[in-house]
Amino acid sequence: MSLNVVKPGIMDTIQDMGRAGSAHLGIPLSGAADKAALAVGNLVLGNCADTASIECHWPAPVLRLEAPALLALTGADFGATADGIPIQQNRAILLPGNAEIRFVRRHSGARAYLCVRGGFLFPEILGSRSTHVVSATGGFAGRKLATGDNIQFDTSLQQPGPALHASTHGLYPVNHLIRFTPGPEYDRLSENARTDLEYENWKIAVNSDRMGCELSGPLLSLKNNEEMVSSAVVPGTIQLPAGGKPLILLSDCQTTGGYPRVGQIIEADLPAVAQLSPGDTFRLVRVTREEALLAGYRYRLHLRRLAQGVLWHNSNQTGT
Amino acid sequence: MNELPVITPLSEYAVIVSTGNELTPENNERILAIFRQLQFMRLPGLRDLIPAFNTLTLVLDPDWLDRVAPGVDPVFIVRNWIIQALRTEQQSPPNPVCIEIPVCYNHPDTPDLLRLSDRLRLPPEEIIRLHTAATYRVYMLGFLPGFPYLGLLDKRLSAPRLERPRVRVPAGSVAIAGRQTGVYPLASPGGWNLIGKTSVRLYDPAREQPTLLRPGDSVRFIAVPEL
């Protein structure tokens, strides 16, 4: 028994926390772009945070359950409904077999996560179930979901859970302020570029996907144009390609790159970047390494408290 | 040899170890020696290793850090690991593997061979002879799963990248740029000059060893009349 894809969205893929351990072979990390949302969805179901879920973009898919399932929706709010009844975010909900899940309106965010108790069942490729579409690796046959795909889950685990919902308050930064630390080639930025990076408004350009998002704003210039030797990049690295438009790398980014790495989005704020859509604006705020490490610690503490059953709210509404 | 390399952060949990700016096989071998040693040490908090030409980047597991060394800057942990790696007995390089890749240079997917012949003032046969004469070192893998950066290419074949990268380079394209040569494992956008084509699969996620090549391997190209 399974979940059936009635109509695919623009880019629905199976994702977990990613394919760590293969970067020396040029294999990208992949995994959920918003790893906080994936963790929350899994933790409210009692799953391990790394369990495989479906990552949806807008337009999102239409899905039909073939058996009852304990599900959780997190990340972007795409106005999810089950047979027309709105589904609350960030909590476990038991849906009956045959329920149809639709996303009716994009309220906020760019990526929604649909998690199921026990996870969607796919074989691990190099230690992960994540899909890397470019290299046809992992997930559902290495590709995005298509009409008629059947996604299996363990039906024996789909029991009603407590009506609690997870607090994400404090998990995402407020006011579209995204923190970064200077990257290894930060010193190569011109004085003006350094000021612009911090004090201008940045907009997500149309040319954005799971590999990275291009920023539109002032063009940034370098002090000199000496060629850089290719070296490692990771999700969150802010690269500056030749045209002067910065690029924030996301989960599917290459393992190495030859453009100056002028900054690095801090781990705690990368989920918020993954929830920005083309046209959204934000500001970059420079922080010290110590501040970044502390913010990362607080971010993981929040998720750990959720895993321990703290930071949950009582919810009077019962599942549909 | 045992001089401590320069250690700088990339992100909170990714730390770059670099051995100098010169792109020599010796510098790259220093990087790969540390890479092999760290792999051999099986460090529990080490999530990924990314060797490149003259840098090795270590990616640490933040949850491990919180458990074992909360509040400690990963830069210090990496420094200790590197000191340990340089002190302990070096893992000898694995038996040198030389992988031969058959290449068809007279193939519809080699649009740049004749253009380069004009530009470099070398007949196509001479380009093929020079490209197949050398044994190349796999300096690193990157850009795409299994894409090898091979060097050094004969000076006479050195040509710049295309000004406008192609939107789609077919899988198996053998390409050159500057003093480097490589093979596209997958169809992808690309800016290198395409001079040959191979049917060898450089990346297959279903294989136990998913990439044909590993950093430090040697490669020779063998000209074949057809694929």
Side-chain angles (χ1 to χ4, degrees):
Chain A
M1 296 303 255
S2 58
L3 181 70
N4 193 275
V5 179
V6 178
K7 187 177 171 232
I10 194 163
M11 176 54 87
D12 321 317
T13 54
I14 302 299
Q15 299 294 345
D16 57 19
M17 286 293 174
R19 192 162 279 114
S22 297
H24 60 289
L25 302 176
I27 297 170
L29 182 63
S30 301
D34 177 352
K35 293 188 162 69
L38 174 70
V40 169
N42 279 320
L43 294 176
V44 297
L45 294 169
N47 292 344
C48 157
D50 187 27
T51 305
S53 74
I54 303 175
E55 181 185 87
C56 309
H57 293 72
W58 186 262
V62 178
L63 306 163
R64 181 178 290 278
L65 283 170
E66 292 185 342
L70 191 67
L71 299 171
L73 273 159
T74 59
D77 182 354
F78 290 163
T81 60
D83 293 329
I85 300 161
I87 302 176
Q88 265 195 330
Q89 301 254 118
N90 302 327
R91 54 160 297 189
I93 290 191
L94 187 69
L95 292 182
N98 228 13
E100 190 174 75
I101 301 166
R102 281 178 181 271
F103 298 87
V104 294
R105 185 162 170 252
R106 189 171 89 82
H107 295 283
S108 66
R111 294 176 170 102
Y113 295 84
L114 177 65
C115 304
V116 67
R117 181 86 195 267
F120 295 106
L121 304 176
F122 289 93
E124 286 192 354
I125 305 286
L126 302 168
S128 166
R129 296 176 173 85
S130 288
T131 318
H132 182 231
V133 173
V134 172
S135 66
T137 303
F140 199 113
R143 59 165 172 78
K144 61 182 186 174
L145 299 181
T147 306
D149 284 352
N150 276 301
I151 307 160
Q152 306 292 321
F153 54 85
D154 186 343
T155 48
S156 71
L157 298 173
Q158 313 306 316
Q159 312 290 335
L164 290 173
H165 108 228
S167 168
T168 55
H169 183 75
L171 197 53
Y172 292 91
V174 286
N175 299 335
H176 292 283
L177 293 178
I178 305 288
R179 291 167 288 183
F180 77 100
T181 51
E185 283 78 48
Y186 179 77
D187 290 345
R188 286 187 51 193
L189 284 174
S190 68
E191 287 297 324
N192 280 342
R194 279 188 227 176
T195 313
D196 286 348
L197 191 61
E198 270 189 80
Y199 296 101
E200 289 291 332
N201 284 313
W202 293 100
K203 193 191 252 183
I204 303 287
V206 181
N207 196 5
S208 299
D209 55 22
R210 281 181 41 85
M211 278 180 78
C213 35
E214 195 181 79
L215 307 187
S216 62
L219 297 182
L220 301 184
S221 59
L222 296 169
K223 285 180 189 159
N224 52 49
N225 280 326
E226 63 189 70
E227 281 249 326
M228 205 193 105
V229 179
S230 282
S231 181
V233 292
V234 292
T237 300
I238 309 173
Q239 280 187 323
L240 190 62
K245 285 185 176 178
L247 189 68
I248 301 179
L249 300 181
L250 295 179
S251 319
D252 275 352
C253 71
Q254 297 172 191
T255 55
T256 59
Y259 298 126
R261 299 158 293 186
V262 297
Q264 178 71 38
I265 304 296
I266 70 169
E267 186 208 22
D269 289 357
L270 194 53
V273 174
Q275 290 300 352
L276 295 172
S277 303
D280 287 347
T281 56
F282 65 99
R283 290 266 306 274
L284 287 166
V285 182
R286 183 160 63 117
V287 295
T288 63
R289 181 163 176 80
E290 290 67 32
E291 288 170 303
L293 286 165
L294 185 61
Y297 182 77
R298 288 203 177 119
Y299 162 81
R300 293 187 300 278
L301 191 62
H302 190 116
L303 294 177
R304 230 167 270 142
R305 285 189 172 149
L306 281 177
Q308 290 160 356
V310 195
L311 290 179
W312 291 42
H313 294 321
N314 245 315
S315 166
N316 293 325
Q317 284 166 282
T318 50
T320 46
Chain B
M1 179 69 196
N2 278 339
E3 187 191 330
L4 196 62
V6 179
I7 299 173
T8 48
L10 168 62
S11 74
E12 294 100 292
Y13 316 105
V15 179
I16 309 168
V17 175
S18 47
T19 53
N21 292 324
E22 281 167 80
L23 286 188
T24 55
E26 294 72 31
N27 243 340
N28 184 243
E29 187 44 44
R30 268 192 83 189
I31 287 296
L32 294 186
I34 302 173
F35 164 67
R36 284 190 294 266
Q37 192 64 30
L38 291 171
Q39 273 192 325
F40 174 77
M41 285 158 69
R42 293 188 179 278
L43 297 158
L46 184 56
R47 217 167 59 175
D48 253 314
L49 283 165
I50 314 173
F53 290 103
N54 55 355
T55 57
L56 173 66
T57 301
L58 290 81
V59 185
L60 276 67
D61 174 1
D63 290 311
W64 172 85
L65 263 174
D66 291 349
R67 278 199 311 276
V68 176
V72 178
D73 190 323
V75 167
F76 294 111
I77 294 175
V78 168
R79 191 185 305 264
N80 283 335
W81 283 348
I82 298 298
I83 290 170
Q84 232 179 307
L86 293 174
R87 265 190 203 149
T88 45
E89 202 178 324
Q90 296 295 309
Q91 290 302 297
S92 54
N95 291 335
V97 194
C98 183
I99 288 136
E100 297 189 337
I101 298 180
V103 179
C104 176
Y105 291 89
N106 174 26
H107 190 278
D109 284 348
T110 60
D112 298 322
L113 187 62
L114 293 177
R115 191 175 55 77
L116 283 185
S117 169
D118 277 354
R119 187 194 168 103
L120 302 171
R121 296 173 198 284
L122 290 171
E125 301 74 42
E126 186 62 5
I127 294 181
I128 297 167
R129 192 188 70 77
L130 289 171
H131 193 248
T132 52
T135 301
Y136 300 104
R137 171 186 181 81
V138 179
Y139 278 81
M140 58 178 275
L141 301 179
F143 171 52
L144 291 170
F147 181 99
Y149 287 83
L150 305 166
L152 286 174
L153 188 68
D154 192 291
K155 268 196 186 113
R156 286 164 286 181
L157 294 183
S158 177
R161 288 158 210 228
L162 304 181
E163 263 177 39
R164 296 174 123 219
R166 290 190 172 87
V167 177
R168 191 175 184 278
V169 170
S173 295
V174 178
I176 61 175
R179 298 292 304 278
Q180 293 168 40
T181 178
V183 185
Y184 286 83
L186 316 161
S188 90
W192 288 22
N193 306 283
L194 312 182
I195 61 162
K197 171 96 170 172
T198 182
S199 53
V200 169
R201 288 192 73 175
L202 277 87
Y203 174 71
D204 180 355
R207 286 194 300 232
E208 196 183 330
Q209 170 63 36
T211 61
L212 177 71
L213 304 170
R214 273 177 285 193
D217 284 349
S218 301
V219 171
R220 280 184 80 91
F221 294 109
I222 311 289
V224 293
E226 55 187 45
L227 293 175

